[in-house]
Coordinates of all heavy atoms in Angstrom, one line a residue:
L1 N 92.2 66.2 148.7 CA 93.3 67.0 148.9 C 93.0 68.0 150.0 O 92.1 68.8 150.0 CB 93.7 67.8 147.6 CG 94.7 69.0 147.8 CD1 96.0 68.4 148.2 CD2 94.8 69.8 146.5
G2 N 93.8 67.9 151.1 CA 93.6 68.8 152.2 C 94.7 69.9 152.2 O 95.9 69.6 152.3
I3 N 94.3 71.2 152.0 CA 95.2 72.3 151.9 C 95.3 73.0 153.2 O 94.3 73.5 153.7 CB 94.8 73.3 150.8 CG1 94.7 72.5 149.4 CG2 95.7 74.5 150.7 CD1 94.1 73.4 148.3
L4 N 96.5 73.0 153.7 CA 96.8 73.7 155.0 C 97.3 75.1 154.7 O 98.5 75.3 154.4 CB 97.8 72.9 155.9 CG 98.3 73.5 157.2 CD1 97.1 73.9 158.0 CD2 99.1 72.5 157.9
G5 N 96.4 76.1 154.8 CA 96.8 77.4 154.4 C 96.2 77.8 153.1 O 96.7 77.4 152.0
M6 N 95.1 78.6 153.1 CA 94.3 78.9 151.9 C 94.5 80.3 151.5 O 93.6 81.1 151.3 CB 92.8 78.6 152.1 CG 92.1 78.3 150.8 SD 92.7 77.0 149.8 CE 91.2 76.3 149.1
G7 N 95.8 80.7 151.4 CA 96.1 82.1 150.9 C 96.2 82.0 149.4 O 95.6 81.2 148.7
R8 N 97.1 82.9 148.8 CA 97.2 83.0 147.4 C 97.6 81.6 146.7 O 97.0 81.2 145.8 CB 98.2 84.1 147.0 CG 97.8 85.5 147.5 CD 98.9 86.4 147.0 NE 98.7 87.8 147.6 CZ 99.2 88.2 148.7 NH1 100.0 87.5 149.4 NH2 99.0 89.5 149.1
I9 N 98.7 81.0 147.3 CA 99.2 79.8 146.8 C 98.2 78.6 147.0 O 98.0 77.8 146.1 CB 100.6 79.4 147.3 CG1 101.6 80.5 146.9 CG2 101.0 78.1 146.9 CD1 102.9 80.4 147.6
G10 N 97.6 78.6 148.2 CA 96.6 77.6 148.4 C 95.4 77.6 147.5 O 95.0 76.6 147.0
Q11 N 95.0 78.8 147.2 CA 93.9 79.0 146.2 C 94.3 78.6 144.8 O 93.5 78.0 144.0 CB 93.3 80.4 146.3 CG 92.6 80.7 147.6 CD 92.0 82.1 147.7 OE1 91.5 82.6 146.7 NE2 92.1 82.7 148.9
A12 N 95.5 79.0 144.4 CA 96.0 78.6 143.1 C 96.1 77.1 143.0 O 95.8 76.5 141.9 CB 97.3 79.2 142.8
L13 N 96.5 76.4 144.1 CA 96.6 75.0 144.1 C 95.2 74.4 144.0 O 95.0 73.4 143.2 CB 97.3 74.5 145.4 CG 97.3 73.0 145.6 CD1 98.0 72.2 144.5 CD2 97.9 72.7 147.0
A14 N 94.2 75.0 144.7 CA 92.9 74.4 144.6 C 92.3 74.5 143.2 O 91.7 73.5 142.7 CB 92.0 75.3 145.5
R15 N 92.6 75.5 142.4 CA 92.1 75.6 141.1 C 92.7 74.5 140.2 O 92.1 73.9 139.4 CB 92.4 77.0 140.5 CG 91.6 78.1 141.1 CD 91.8 79.4 140.3 NE 93.1 80.0 140.4 CZ 93.5 80.8 141.4 NH1 92.6 81.2 142.3 NH2 94.7 81.3 141.4
R16 N 94.0 74.2 140.4 CA 94.7 73.2 139.7 C 94.1 71.8 140.1 O 93.9 70.9 139.2 CB 96.2 73.2 139.9 CG 96.9 74.4 139.2 CD 98.2 74.7 139.8 NE 98.9 75.7 139.0 CZ 98.6 77.0 139.0 NH1 97.6 77.5 139.7 NH2 99.3 77.9 138.2
A17 N 93.9 71.6 141.4 CA 93.4 70.3 141.8 C 92.0 70.1 141.3 O 91.7 68.9 140.9 CB 93.4 70.3 143.4
N18 N 91.2 71.1 141.1 CA 89.9 70.9 140.5 C 90.0 70.4 139.1 O 89.2 69.6 138.6 CB 89.1 72.2 140.6 CG 88.5 72.5 141.9 OD1 88.0 71.6 142.6 ND2 88.5 73.8 142.3
A19 N 91.0 71.0 138.4 CA 91.2 70.5 137.0 C 91.6 69.1 136.9 O 91.3 68.4 135.9 CB 92.2 71.4 136.3
F20 N 92.2 68.6 137.9 CA 92.6 67.1 137.9 C 91.5 66.2 138.5 O 91.7 65.0 138.6 CB 93.9 67.0 138.7 CG 95.2 67.3 138.0 CD1 95.7 68.5 138.0 CD2 95.8 66.3 137.2 CE1 96.9 68.8 137.3 CE2 96.9 66.6 136.5 CZ 97.5 67.9 136.5
G21 N 90.4 66.8 138.9 CA 89.3 66.0 139.4 C 89.5 65.7 140.9 O 88.8 64.7 141.4
M22 N 90.3 66.4 141.6 CA 90.5 66.1 143.1 C 89.4 66.8 143.9 O 88.8 67.8 143.4 CB 91.9 66.6 143.6 CG 93.1 66.0 142.9 SD 94.6 66.5 143.6 CE 94.7 65.4 145.0
Q23 N 89.1 66.3 145.0 CA 88.2 66.9 146.0 C 89.0 67.8 146.9 O 89.9 67.4 147.5 CB 87.5 65.8 146.8 CG 86.7 64.8 146.0 CD 86.0 63.8 146.9 OE1 85.7 64.1 148.1 NE2 86.0 62.6 146.4
V24 N 88.6 69.1 146.9 CA 89.4 70.1 147.6 C 88.8 70.4 149.0 O 87.7 70.7 149.1 CB 89.5 71.4 146.8 CG1 90.3 72.5 147.6 CG2 90.2 71.2 145.4
H25 N 89.7 70.3 150.0 CA 89.3 70.6 151.4 C 90.4 71.5 151.9 O 91.5 71.6 151.4 CB 89.3 69.3 152.2 CG 88.3 68.3 151.7 ND1 87.1 68.0 152.3 CD2 88.4 67.5 150.7 CE1 86.5 67.1 151.7 NE2 87.2 66.7 150.7
Y26 N 90.1 72.3 152.9 CA 91.1 73.2 153.4 C 90.9 73.6 154.9 O 89.8 73.5 155.4 CB 91.2 74.5 152.6 CG 90.1 75.5 152.9 CD1 90.3 76.6 153.7 CD2 88.8 75.4 152.3 CE1 89.3 77.6 154.0 CE2 87.8 76.3 152.6 CZ 88.1 77.4 153.4 OH 87.1 78.3 153.7
H27 N 92.0 73.9 155.5 CA 92.0 74.5 156.9 C 92.8 75.8 156.8 O 93.9 75.9 156.2 CB 92.6 73.5 157.9 CG 92.8 74.2 159.3 ND1 91.8 74.2 160.2 CD2 93.8 74.8 159.9 CE1 92.2 74.8 161.3 NE2 93.4 75.2 161.1
N28 N 92.2 76.8 157.4 CA 92.8 78.1 157.3 C 92.6 78.9 158.6 O 91.6 78.6 159.4 CB 92.3 78.9 156.1 CG 93.2 80.0 155.7 OD1 94.4 79.9 155.5 ND2 92.6 81.2 155.5
R29 N 93.4 79.9 158.9 CA 93.2 80.7 160.1 C 91.8 81.4 160.0 O 91.1 81.5 161.1 CB 94.3 81.7 160.2 CG 94.2 82.6 161.4 CD 95.5 83.5 161.6 NE 95.7 84.3 160.4 CZ 96.7 85.1 160.3 NH1 97.6 85.3 161.2 NH2 96.9 85.8 159.1
R30 N 91.4 81.8 158.9 CA 90.1 82.4 158.7 C 89.4 81.7 157.5 O 90.1 81.4 156.5 CB 90.2 83.9 158.4 CG 90.8 84.7 159.5 CD 90.8 86.2 159.2 NE 91.4 87.0 160.2 CZ 92.7 87.3 160.2 NH1 93.5 86.9 159.3 NH2 93.2 88.1 161.2
R31 N 88.1 81.5 157.7 CA 87.4 80.8 156.6 C 87.2 81.8 155.4 O 87.0 83.0 155.6 CB 86.0 80.4 157.1 CG 85.2 79.6 156.1 CD 84.0 79.0 156.7 NE 83.3 78.2 155.7 CZ 82.2 77.4 156.0 NH1 81.8 77.3 157.2 NH2 81.7 76.7 155.0
L32 N 87.3 81.3 154.2 CA 87.0 82.1 153.0 C 85.6 82.5 152.9 O 84.7 81.9 153.5 CB 87.5 81.3 151.8 CG 88.9 80.8 151.7 CD1 89.1 80.0 150.4 CD2 89.9 82.0 151.8
R33 N 85.3 83.5 152.1 CA 84.0 83.9 151.8 C 83.2 82.8 151.1 O 83.9 82.0 150.3 CB 83.9 85.2 151.0 CG 84.4 86.4 151.7 CD 84.4 87.6 150.9 NE 85.2 87.5 149.7 CZ 85.4 88.4 148.7 NH1 84.7 89.5 148.8 NH2 86.1 88.1 147.7
E34 N 81.9 82.7 151.2 CA 81.2 81.6 150.6 C 81.3 81.6 149.1 O 81.4 80.5 148.5 CB 79.7 81.8 151.0 CG 79.3 81.5 152.4 CD 77.8 81.5 152.7 OE1 77.1 81.5 151.7 OE2 77.4 81.5 153.9
E35 N 81.3 82.8 148.5 CA 81.5 82.8 147.0 C 82.9 82.3 146.6 O 83.0 81.6 145.5 CB 81.2 84.2 146.5 CG 82.1 85.3 147.1 CD 81.4 86.0 148.3 OE1 80.7 85.3 149.0 OE2 81.6 87.2 148.4
T36 N 83.9 82.6 147.4 CA 85.2 82.0 147.1 C 85.3 80.5 147.2 O 85.8 79.8 146.4 CB 86.3 82.7 148.0 OG1 86.2 84.1 147.8 CG2 87.7 82.2 147.6
E37 N 84.7 80.0 148.3 CA 84.6 78.6 148.5 C 83.9 77.9 147.3 O 84.3 76.9 146.9 CB 83.9 78.2 149.8 CG 84.7 78.5 151.1 CD 84.0 78.0 152.3 OE1 82.8 77.7 152.2 OE2 84.6 77.9 153.4
A38 N 82.8 78.5 146.9 CA 82.0 77.9 145.8 C 82.8 77.9 144.5 O 82.8 77.0 143.8 CB 80.7 78.7 145.6
D39 N 83.6 79.0 144.3 CA 84.4 79.1 143.1 C 85.5 78.1 143.1 O 85.8 77.5 142.0 CB 85.0 80.5 143.0 CG 85.8 80.7 141.8 OD1 85.3 80.5 140.6 OD2 87.0 81.0 141.9
L40 N 86.0 77.8 144.2 CA 87.1 76.9 144.4 C 86.6 75.4 144.6 O 87.5 74.5 144.7 CB 88.1 77.3 145.5 CG 88.8 78.6 145.3 CD1 89.6 78.9 146.6 CD2 89.8 78.6 144.1
K41 N 85.3 75.3 144.8 CA 84.8 74.0 145.1 C 85.5 73.4 146.4 O 85.8 72.2 146.4 CB 84.8 73.0 143.9 CG 84.1 73.5 142.7 CD 84.3 72.6 141.5 CE 83.6 73.1 140.3 NZ 83.8 72.2 139.1
A42 N 85.7 74.2 147.4 CA 86.4 73.8 148.5 C 85.6 73.7 149.8 O 84.7 74.6 150.0 CB 87.6 74.8 148.7
R43 N 85.8 72.7 150.6 CA 85.2 72.5 151.8 C 86.1 72.9 153.0 O 87.2 72.5 153.1 CB 84.7 71.0 152.0 CG 84.1 70.8 153.4 CD 83.8 69.3 153.6 NE 83.4 69.1 155.0 CZ 83.1 67.9 155.5 NH1 83.1 66.8 154.7 NH2 82.7 67.7 156.7
Y44 N 85.5 73.7 153.9 CA 86.3 74.2 155.0 C 86.2 73.3 156.2 O 85.1 72.8 156.5 CB 85.8 75.6 155.4 CG 86.4 76.1 156.7 CD1 87.8 76.5 156.7 CD2 85.7 76.3 157.9 CE1 88.3 77.0 157.9 CE2 86.2 76.8 159.0 CZ 87.6 77.2 159.0 OH 88.1 77.7 160.2
W45 N 87.3 73.0 156.9 CA 87.4 72.3 158.1 C 87.9 73.2 159.2 O 89.0 73.7 159.2 CB 88.4 71.1 157.9 CG 87.9 70.0 157.0 CD1 87.9 70.0 155.7 CD2 87.2 68.8 157.4 NE1 87.4 68.9 155.1 CE2 87.0 68.1 156.2 CE3 86.9 68.2 158.6 CZ2 86.3 66.8 156.2 CZ3 86.3 66.9 158.6 CH2 86.0 66.3 157.4

């Protein structure tokens, strides 16, 4: 799953996607903090 825009809704989507066993990727204007990425299991592009 590639999320374009990792704001509030993007992060809420990432949490749901993790529950479904999806691999979470994202592109954002600014990269999230490392701890947030780790919590969301999200890879930044």
Side-chain angles (χ1 to χ4, degrees):
L1 169 64
I3 300 175
L4 175 52
M6 202 59 143
R8 300 179 185 94
I9 295 173
Q11 292 181 39
L13 173 60
R15 290 191 291 271
R16 286 160 173 76
N18 280 321
F20 278 94
M22 301 186 81
Q23 300 176 34
V24 176
H25 303 253
Y26 78 99
H27 173 82
N28 201 48
R29 182 172 55 178
R30 296 185 183 89
R31 185 170 184 173
L32 301 178
R33 294 179 299 178
E34 288 186 11
E35 54 268 34
T36 304
E37 284 186 348
D39 180 58
L40 297 173
K41 301 177 184 177
R43 175 184 173 183
Y44 173 69
W45 292 79

